[in-house]
Amino acid sequence: MASERTAAAGGLLKRCKQALAENPVLFGGLALAPVVMVATTVKNAVALMIVMACTLVPVMLLEAVLARYLPMVPDFARMALCAVFAAAMLMPARLAVAPLAQNIFDSLGMYFALTGVSALMFLHSPGREPEGPRFAVTDAVCGTLGFALAVFLTGAVREALSLGTFWGVPLGFSVKFPAMAMPFAGFFTAAFWAAAWNSLSRLIGRMGGGREVE
């Protein structure tokens, strides 16, 4: 029993490390559209984090429960049910995000709804390998953290360079680049962080004697 718990804990830790090291946005380009289009400020970035957490974690838990305890439910029916549930979870997510900024939903636009069917859900979907709700929640939380890291870094840089602020607080920059708020700048910023994250992962892999991230 103790060995099983140790193995389970080791598996969960491995999943967390993999989700953060092999960042789904910076490495795989998943859920890149909302990062590029919406993460122009730190407030918008935090809003995206909240929406992703409110949808990804509970939906992956639901799918894991269905796959584990109701395996007779067809894949298409389970996916449809999860999509409806994700849409429903956007309602409390909207209430949680609203206090951040008055115009936050104007900025999010259609990407608010698209987070309910994010590509991260397919990456972390436990439906084909039903390992249990605990593993599904761990995967979803780690995926959300990876997404949060990418969107926060992108939003912070773009806000600092375009507005000279961080969370609306002036940083004292005399030179600003308003074009950093444009979508093309989001691609460049995300590409920069992807390259930096890849280099850092390789460096850590060499220092630790581990396998480099391909």
Side-chain angles (χ1 to χ4, degrees):
M1 183 66 69
S3 60
E4 292 180 359
R5 288 198 296 267
T6 302
L12 293 175
L13 182 60
K14 182 179 179 181
R15 286 169 181 263
C16 291
K17 289 182 177 179
Q18 184 178 15
L20 294 177
E22 300 177 5
N23 190 285
V25 179
L26 300 181
F27 273 24
L30 300 179
L32 187 60
V35 175
V36 169
M37 298 297 296
V38 182
T40 56
T41 66
V42 175
K43 287 185 178 181
N44 281 7
V46 173
L48 280 175
M49 297 178 203
I50 295 174
V51 173
M52 184 61 69
C54 288
T55 54
L56 185 61
V57 176
V59 169
M60 290 301 93
L61 175 60
L62 173 63
E63 184 178 3
V65 170
L66 292 175
R68 182 69 175 271
Y69 300 107
L70 294 173
M72 71 291 296
V73 177
D75 288 346
F76 73 90
R78 185 174 64 247
M79 293 178 64
L81 181 60
C82 288
V84 173
F85 184 61
M89 292 306 300
L90 288 174
M91 298 178 186
R94 186 183 182 97
L95 296 176
V97 167
L100 288 177
Q102 294 295 326
N103 62 344
I104 191 68
F105 296 106
D106 294 334
S107 300
L108 289 173
M110 67 177 182
Y111 296 103
F112 175 75
L114 288 178
T115 53
V117 288
S118 169
L120 292 178
M121 291 187 180
F122 295 96
L123 174 66
H124 296 279
S125 173
R128 297 193 179 275
E129 297 181 6
E131 296 178 306
R134 182 176 59 178
F135 286 95
V137 170
T138 300
D139 269 348
V141 170
C142 291
T144 302
L145 290 176
F147 175 83
L149 177 64
V151 74
F152 178 82
L153 292 175
T154 302
V157 168
R158 295 175 74 184
E159 179 180 357
L161 294 180
S162 64
L163 301 175
T165 62
F166 181 89
W167 198 266
V169 179
L171 297 174
F173 291 168
S174 59
V175 179
K176 302 175 184 177
F177 304 92
M180 287 298 296
M182 302 297 291
F184 76 88
F187 279 107
F188 284 120
T189 306
F192 167 80
W193 284 121
W197 198 256
N198 188 20
S199 299
L200 179 61
S201 296
R202 289 178 179 273
L203 177 61
I204 294 175
R206 287 195 294 268
M207 292 177 61
R211 181 177 63 84
E212 292 185 1
V213 178
E214 298 294 336

